[in-house]
Structure formats: C-alpha cells, structure tokens
Amino acid sequence: MSPSAQKAKGWLVGIAVLCGIWLVQNGPGGQIVPPQPSSAQAFAAGPQLQPGSPVAEPMDRSEPVRIRIPVIEVDAPMTRLGLAADGSLDVPPDENRNLAGWYGGGVPPGARGTAIVAGHVDNADGPAVFYALGSLTKGTTVEVDRRDGSTAVFSIDAIEVYDNDDFPDQRVYGDAPHAALRLITCGGGFSKETGYQGNVVAYAHLTGVR
Amino acid sequence: MRSPARLVTGTVGAAFTVIAFGLTAAAPSAYAGDFGRLEITPATAPPGATVTVNTTACGPKGSGIGDANELDAGDFEMRAGTHKEVLVGQFTVPHDTRPGDYEIVVSCDNGKDAVGDLKVIGGGKPDKPIHDRPSGHVRTGVGGSVEPNSTQVALGVGVIGLAAVGGLWLLRRRSESAEGS
C-alpha cells in the first residue's frame, strides 16, 4: 500500500471517530423529549368547542381536589396556585411529581369561565404528573373531583404548543361564556442551557357532571 | 366677700382641672415607655391616598423621621408644623397595598417613638382577583425526563468502535510493511 493511500485511510478513521462522537453527544434526535401534540390536534380555525360535543351548564363554584385523565394514567391531588412576582402563573412545588395546581385567583374547574390548571412535565428526578399531556387527542376525557363531592367531566377540544416568547395570553387565559378548562405544562424543544422552549396547552370544556 | 357657693364652685372647678390634667397626662402613658401618640389623618385611607401624620412626641424644636415601611411606603421626612412642638410628615399609600391595619412609626431624635395605626381599605382598584389573570408561559419542567436517544448513542459508539478497529488494522499494516522493507 502506498503511503498516500495509508494517509487517506488514516483521515477516514479520524473522520469516523468524530462522526461517532457527534452522534453520541448531540446528533439529530439525540434527545428523547416528552410527547408533543401533532398539528392535527391544534384548533383547525381558531379556538372553538369540538363540534358535536355536548356543552354542560356550568356548576356552582367548589374547589378542585383531584384531577384524573385515565388514558394517560393521571390521578393526582390538586393544590391552589397564585401568581409569581412577574405576573406569570405560579407552579406547584416541583419536588412532588404527582401534584397538579389550579389558579386560585380564577374560577375553579366546572364553574363558568376559564379554569387554569398547571402541572410539571418533569422535575430533576424524571417525568412528572403532566409528562404525557402532549400525547392527548381531541375528545379525551378529563375529570376533576371537587370539594362539594361532585365530579366535573371535561372533553378536550384541542392541544397546542407555543413558544415561551410567543405565548397567547388571551387565548389561554381569556374568559369564556361556558365552563372552560386549560391544562398547561412545559414542552416544545429542550435545550440544556435554557430548558424547555415552550408550553403545551390542552383546551377543554365541561360536558357533564357526576 | 365671696359667697360659700362660689367658693365651692371654684373648688370643684379646680378639682376638674386637676382631673382633666391628670387625664391628659395619663393618656401618653397608655403607650409603654417612650412611645408617644402619632396622629394620622385620615386614619382610614384607600390605596393611592396621601396620609398626613403629626406628633408632639419629639418635643419643642425636635426632629425625627417617619417609617411607613410596613405598607412598603418607605421612610418619610418629618418637618416642623405651623405650631411649634408639632412635627408633620406625609406619605402615599402604595397602589398595591392590601386592606388591613398598618403601623406607622416616627422615630424622634430625642429617643422617643410615636406610633399610630393606619387602616387601609379597598380602594379605587376593585379588589377582584378574578380579573388578575396570569400572563406568559409557565415554568413546569426542568428537563429531568429528557434522555439521550439510546439508539443513536449506540450507533455513535458503534461507529467509534469500527473506526478504532480500522485504525488498529491500519497501524498493523504499516508496521508490517515497515518490517518487510
């Protein structure tokens, strides 16, 4: 073998090593992130209730105590949330992986208006209560047990994902003439430097009471 | 000559004076130690209102500084009022002050403190938290569920392994050809 051919093969080996290192560290699809909603789960033409889905009369106000989403095995107690100093919604304490929170300054789930519920997608130890929120589809049932003993039953109208810098406040937090529910968690892409790039938001409305 | 009746009236009057004086003297002692009375006008105010305080606790030609930090209104200046002996100060109730009782203190340079309570009531901004909606995104994750893609990591390790084998083979070939020549 000529020295030049050997040299070429040496380069080839070097390049292969670099490719391998790149694949290990950060190649395309190098991370497995929590499930994200497909564009088919977004609103087709602006926010609207799922056609054909029943709309129940709003309930009296009563604090939520537990949230259940059977298809993704969510069954978690609920805590009351306030606002952070910057006006953003506070989040439940992140050391508890099975805890969701509802915005106590707004309406409780089941009452007329927009009830806001947030839960962690993960904490430092791994997946948390709303890890699989992004895998839900339109029509999924969400149940909220309330202090007065009743259960509010919701149906999902859409699931969308937004960039942190482009969060649609009015669309998510705005008032509603019926009993609306929003489920929010972290999502979008993930970067080691800046964390999750966005939020996954599930929109639902009250379809029944038990 | 004074009539006995007048004498009695005079005595009673004097007695009243003494009692009245005793009462005024007793009033400050309701505050333990060196606390003097701080007059707050108005004593009940909504957020955004300007409140005036005055006190005689600092004494004639005295000076002091006001403290409204309990309602986050900071310190405020005390100036001599139109009456000597009276120090006057002003502060504004912050717009985000919640209804409740807040203690206002004036610390005099003579070591005395004057203390009074301001009652803050719901004001111009209606206290309906339901209209305080959240804004912006929520911080509901730190990435603890994000994992490296094991398939791809395995692929990368495989490529490195193959390169290593290839490299070793090349080195052997080179040393063999060096021996051969």
Side-chain angles (χ1 to χ4, degrees):
Chain A
M1 191 158 53
S2 73
S4 67
Q6 277 220 355
K7 213 171 193 176
K9 281 176 183 162
W11 274 108
L12 211 64
V13 168
I15 289 167
V17 167
L18 290 177
C19 283
I21 290 171
W22 180 77
L23 276 170
V24 168
Q25 286 198 329
N26 51 8
Q31 297 173 327
I32 296 178
V33 296
Q36 298 298 298
S38 75
S39 56
Q41 301 306 322
F43 287 116
Q48 57 170 8
L49 303 185
Q50 182 81 330
S53 180
V55 180
E57 272 297 301
M59 308 160 75
D60 289 336
R61 290 184 178 208
S62 175
E63 284 202 11
V65 292
R66 210 164 177 88
I67 183 165
R68 275 177 279 117
I69 312 174
V71 292
I72 54 170
E73 292 173 350
V74 167
D75 184 355
M78 295 185 77
T79 184
R80 195 185 177 100
L81 302 176
L83 296 182
D86 64 356
S88 70
L89 182 64
D90 247 335
V91 294
D94 73 352
E95 63 271 14
N96 189 341
R97 283 157 70 175
N98 195 43
L99 179 66
W102 70 287
Y103 176 48
V107 298
R112 187 186 306 277
T114 301
I116 299 159
V117 172
H120 288 282
V121 72
D122 61 23
N123 69 1
D125 298 329
V129 59
F130 278 177
Y131 178 81
L133 196 70
S135 69
L136 295 181
T137 53
K138 293 177 181 179
T140 301
T141 298
V142 177
E143 297 169 344
V144 176
D145 293 341
R146 304 171 359 131
R147 184 143 288 154
D148 65 4
S150 63
T151 297
V153 182
F154 298 87
S155 175
I156 290 186
D157 297 308
I159 304 140
E160 302 195 323
V161 56
Y162 308 113
D163 258 7
N164 284 342
D165 297 336
D166 199 20
F167 193 88
D169 284 349
Q170 179 57 33
R171 190 170 174 125
V172 177
Y173 303 126
D175 203 5
H178 53 274
L181 177 69
R182 307 282 184 261
L183 307 176
I184 310 175
T185 195
C186 273
F190 179 82
S191 118
K192 277 177 195 159
E193 288 76 32
T194 55
Y196 285 101
Q197 309 291 294
N199 281 151
V200 169
V201 179
Y203 295 76
H205 72 274
L206 187 69
T207 54
V209 177
R210 279 209 306 267
Chain B
M1 184 193 152
R2 286 162 121 186
S3 76
R6 280 190 84 130
L7 194 65
V8 170
T9 320
T11 317
V12 170
F16 263 118
T17 312
V18 169
I19 291 168
F21 182 77
L23 279 177
T24 13
S29 70
Y31 298 92
D34 279 330
F35 286 99
R37 208 174 93 85
L38 186 68
E39 201 171 292
I40 300 180
T41 324
T44 301
T50 301
V51 174
T52 304
V53 303
N54 64 67
T55 184
T56 55
C58 300
K61 292 185 181 171
S63 56
I65 185 128
D67 174 355
N69 287 297
E70 198 174 293
L71 39 62
D72 282 336
D75 291 339
F76 56 93
E77 207 179 346
M78 295 297 290
R79 293 165 182 271
T82 43
H83 294 282
K84 288 178 191 173
E85 306 185 8
V86 179
L87 276 184
V88 183
Q90 273 191 340
F91 63 90
T92 305
V93 182
H95 283 278
D96 55 357
T97 305
R98 295 191 164 276
D101 287 339
Y102 295 87
E103 193 177 65
I104 311 299
V105 182
V106 170
S107 304
C108 300
D109 292 346
N110 66 5
K112 282 191 176 181
D113 283 342
V115 182
D117 276 343
L118 170 71
K119 189 182 189 69
V120 174
I121 52 171
K125 215 172 78 173
D127 187 21
K128 285 183 187 167
I130 193 161
H131 290 298
D132 279 337
R133 296 211 182 91
S135 64
H137 66 101
V138 296
R139 295 168 191 87
T140 40
V142 293
S145 69
V146 176
E147 292 171 356
N149 187 335
S150 52
T151 320
Q152 185 169 307
V153 169
L155 191 70
V157 168
V159 169
I160 294 172
L162 278 176
V165 170
L168 281 174
W169 180 75
L170 269 182
L171 284 175
R172 247 185 78 185
R173 281 285 299 267
R174 187 182 284 178
S175 59
E176 270 172 12
S177 61
E179 278 168 20
S181 64

